[in-house]
Amino acid sequence: MMRKLSLLFAGALMGASAMSLVYGAPGSSANAAGSETYKQLAIFGDIFERVRAQYVTPPDDKSLVENAINGMLSSLDPHSSYMNAEQAQDMRVQTKGEFGGLGIEVTMENDLVKVITPIDDTPAAKAGVLAGDYIAKIDGEEVRGLTLNDAVEKMRGLVNTPIKLTILRQGADKPIELTVVRDIIKVKAVKFRVENDIGYMKITSFTEKTYDDLENAIDTIKKQVPDDKLKGYVLDLRLNPGGLLDQAVSVSDAFLKRGEIVSTRGRDPKDVTRFDAKPKQTDDINGKPMIVLVNGGSASASEIVAGALQDLRRVTVVGTQSFGKGSVQTIIPLGENGALRLTTALYYTPSGKSIQGKGITPDIKVDQPLPPELQGRDLTRGESDLKGHIKGADESATGSGSAAYVPPDPKDDLQLIFAEKLLRGEKTDPAFPPNPEKAVLNQ
């Protein structure tokens, strides 16, 4: 049975998120606690000591404290959490977009690590690892019994250190032994290609490299297709879990000439931050038509982009209801290199609407049927389904989210096919092209 989880060797991106990073000295001031609060803390201390002294097996003190902290934070909302030193380091690696590893995208199938694809010009590709290979042993240790995260952790490591992989390959009469030397792997946050007369760009996550990768994609597409032949662009944000807030703002800015992109509002009514596009004569794609694709896997930072471009009537959004995560997490450094991920604000689209628990509603709804092997399974993803989520101002009984599935083969991708037909004029819809004069702005 195949587990539908895919990881780069940076680890899975930290879930649906729009994050701002806070650097500086650990710790910050807080309102003084009342006497009742200190009484409750004394009870906690008493329970902690009794567990340590009387529990049937000696507990690990560090785990007890970390779980207590996470229990407190998870009671706030699903996105606030404590990260120990190792988890915080993983988060920093993921947002940086580069790491020491082999350069393969993997999943777990039949208790083995299956290679989805080796990344071009990486140690794995140079050593001869192929798509479809099964990794049975890592440095002589059986993969069976390991989780995917455990296997990934073993394959990551210091640059210039070797690792031996035992590979099972279809057609090979015996296991293949390969030695791969780890190197710096730079994960492409934007994948792109030319579909005859259309530029296709898929943003997989919002890391520190996303905007630069996007600009490279746009420049390459422009060189491959003459301006008079280029019908437009498809920006694919499906299955994009989010990432860095500043990168979402930069990506949105690339397609706008002016206007508000997003605003964030904190606990204090006066704590409002607004992000605007830089005024310019034309956008980075010279005003060409563009369609944005979303589904239930489009969350947070990707919803910021879709919401801004939709409200300003720069694009037509096609697909199904997005995830609906409209909160911002601030990463606050703590002692011993741990960190606190704390929800500190909600974000609002240029129209002044919160998508928390609601999501982005596409201008044109196009469902993507599930293949026979997935039918009957619930692949719907949405913030409104998460226990303890912050209820959004515009959230309704309908909730947010939809199926989070994209076919691996573009010829089966009905949402992409529909978008390309719109751009080529083979299909028509009142929502395309959008009219910038009808931009919906917060008054």
Side-chain angles (χ1 to χ4, degrees), residues 135-144 146 154 164 166:
I135 299 174
K137 295 181 181 179
I138 302 171
D139 279 335
E141 181 180 348
E142 292 281 352
V143 168
R144 292 183 190 277
L146 298 178
K154 288 182 178 297
K164 186 167 73 173
T166 302

Side-chain angles (χ1 to χ4, degrees), residues 22-278:
V22 174
Y23 299 98
S28 60
S29 61
N31 294 329
S35 59
E36 185 62 30
T37 300
Y38 285 114
K39 289 179 182 178
Q40 296 297 318
L41 288 173
I43 293 173
F44 170 77
D46 184 34
I47 292 173
F48 178 73
E49 289 302 331
R50 288 182 181 273
V51 170
R52 293 182 69 220
Q54 299 176 18
Y55 188 67
V56 63
T57 57
D60 179 72
D61 289 357
K62 182 179 179 183
S63 294
L64 283 178
V65 173
E66 287 187 3
N67 288 329
I69 293 171
N70 269 316
M72 174 181 64
L73 293 170
S74 63
S75 71
L76 300 174
D77 70 86
H79 307 292
S80 294
S81 64
Y82 167 73
M83 293 177 283
N84 60 31
E86 182 180 345
Q87 293 164 336
Q89 176 59 24
D90 281 346
M91 181 274 299
R92 287 187 284 269
V93 168
Q94 292 160 21
T95 57
K96 188 176 179 63
E98 63 182 46
F99 52 92
L102 309 183
I104 48 179
E105 188 176 350
V106 296
T107 188
M108 205 77 174
E109 186 175 316
N110 300 323
D111 295 325
L112 298 176
V113 174
K114 182 181 181 180
V115 178
I116 297 174
T117 183
I119 302 172
D120 291 340
D121 200 32
T122 61
K126 293 175 181 176
V129 178
L130 302 178
D133 282 349
Y134 288 88
I135 299 174
K137 295 181 181 179
I138 302 171
D139 279 335
E141 181 180 348
E142 292 281 352
V143 168
R144 292 183 190 277
L146 298 178
T147 66
L148 184 57
N149 280 328
D150 288 340
V152 166
E153 188 63 30
K154 288 182 178 297
M155 289 185 279
R156 283 174 17 185
L158 297 176
V159 173
N160 295 325
T161 59
I163 182 172
K164 186 167 73 173
L165 303 179
T166 302
I167 288 174
L168 306 181
R169 180 176 295 166
Q170 186 175 5
D173 57 1
K174 62 180 181 179
I176 300 168
E177 302 282 351
L178 293 177
T179 297
V180 187
V181 179
R182 299 178 179 94
D183 200 354
I184 291 293
I185 307 300
K186 296 183 178 181
V187 180
K188 288 291 185 183
V190 181
K191 299 177 181 179
F192 66 94
R193 63 179 183 267
V194 169
E195 297 277 1
N196 296 318
D197 51 1
I198 292 173
Y200 170 85
M201 302 177 294
K202 179 178 180 62
I203 300 180
T204 58
S205 60
F206 288 87
T207 70
E208 293 177 10
K209 298 182 178 299
T210 299
Y211 176 71
D212 290 341
D213 285 355
L214 177 70
E215 288 298 292
N216 176 64
I218 293 171
D219 290 343
T220 303
I221 290 170
K222 285 180 177 180
K223 291 174 182 176
Q224 292 181 2
V225 186
D227 188 69
D228 61 337
K229 302 291 185 184
L230 188 62
K231 299 292 186 184
Y233 294 81
V234 173
L235 182 66
D236 192 348
L237 298 177
R238 295 172 299 176
L239 304 183
N240 184 317
L244 298 176
L245 173 61
D246 66 332
Q247 289 291 308
V249 171
S250 295
V251 167
S252 302
D253 188 17
F255 304 112
L256 296 170
K257 294 190 290 185
R258 62 185 62 84
E260 179 180 326
I261 293 172
V262 67
S263 62
T264 64
R265 306 176 194 178
R267 176 172 168 176
D268 188 332
K270 297 178 182 178
D271 184 14
V272 178
T273 303
R274 172 174 161 162
F275 300 87
D276 296 314
K278 296 184 288 289

Side-chain angles (χ1 to χ4, degrees), residues 202-428:
K202 179 178 180 62
I203 300 180
T204 58
S205 60
F206 288 87
T207 70
E208 293 177 10
K209 298 182 178 299
T210 299
Y211 176 71
D212 290 341
D213 285 355
L214 177 70
E215 288 298 292
N216 176 64
I218 293 171
D219 290 343
T220 303
I221 290 170
K222 285 180 177 180
K223 291 174 182 176
Q224 292 181 2
V225 186
D227 188 69
D228 61 337
K229 302 291 185 184
L230 188 62
K231 299 292 186 184
Y233 294 81
V234 173
L235 182 66
D236 192 348
L237 298 177
R238 295 172 299 176
L239 304 183
N240 184 317
L244 298 176
L245 173 61
D246 66 332
Q247 289 291 308
V249 171
S250 295
V251 167
S252 302
D253 188 17
F255 304 112
L256 296 170
K257 294 190 290 185
R258 62 185 62 84
E260 179 180 326
I261 293 172
V262 67
S263 62
T264 64
R265 306 176 194 178
R267 176 172 168 176
D268 188 332
K270 297 178 182 178
D271 184 14
V272 178
T273 303
R274 172 174 161 162
F275 300 87
D276 296 314
K278 296 184 288 289
K280 44 189 178 287
Q281 291 299 313
T282 187
D283 59 42
D284 292 5
I285 58 173
N286 302 321
K288 288 284 186 180
M290 188 166 78
I291 291 173
V292 169
L293 299 179
V294 298
N295 67 5
S298 307
S300 206
S302 56
E303 293 173 293
I304 288 175
V305 175
L309 300 179
Q310 181 185 55
D311 278 3
L312 296 175
R313 296 294 186 263
R314 174 61 184 90
V315 305
T316 298
V317 178
V318 170
T320 56
Q321 198 80 6
S322 67
F323 188 86
K325 181 183 172 295
S327 60
V328 178
Q329 282 66 51
T330 299
I331 307 299
I332 303 169
L334 299 175
E336 300 299 324
N337 297 319
L340 170 64
R341 181 194 287 131
L342 188 66
T343 300
T344 54
L346 297 176
Y347 70 75
Y348 294 77
T349 68
S351 64
K353 292 182 179 179
S354 166
I355 59 95
Q356 173 67 13
K358 178 177 176 62
I360 299 293
T361 302
D363 300 303
I364 306 173
K365 183 181 179 183
V366 178
D367 289 311
Q368 177 63 56
L370 297 178
E373 65 269 22
L374 294 180
Q375 288 178 6
R377 293 179 56 183
D378 184 11
L379 296 183
T380 301
R381 301 290 181 268
E383 174 80 6
S384 60
D385 294 327
L386 298 181
K387 183 180 179 180
H389 77 280
I390 298 171
K391 188 171 178 62
D394 298 310
E395 184 176 342
S396 66
T398 305
S400 63
S402 61
Y405 172 73
V406 177
D409 192 333
K411 69 178 178 59
D412 300 323
D413 191 340
L414 300 188
Q415 294 167 335
L416 175 58
I417 291 170
F418 186 91
E420 291 179 344
K421 286 184 176 180
L422 274 180
L423 289 169
R424 293 186 178 118
E426 297 169 9
K427 279 187 176 292
T428 60

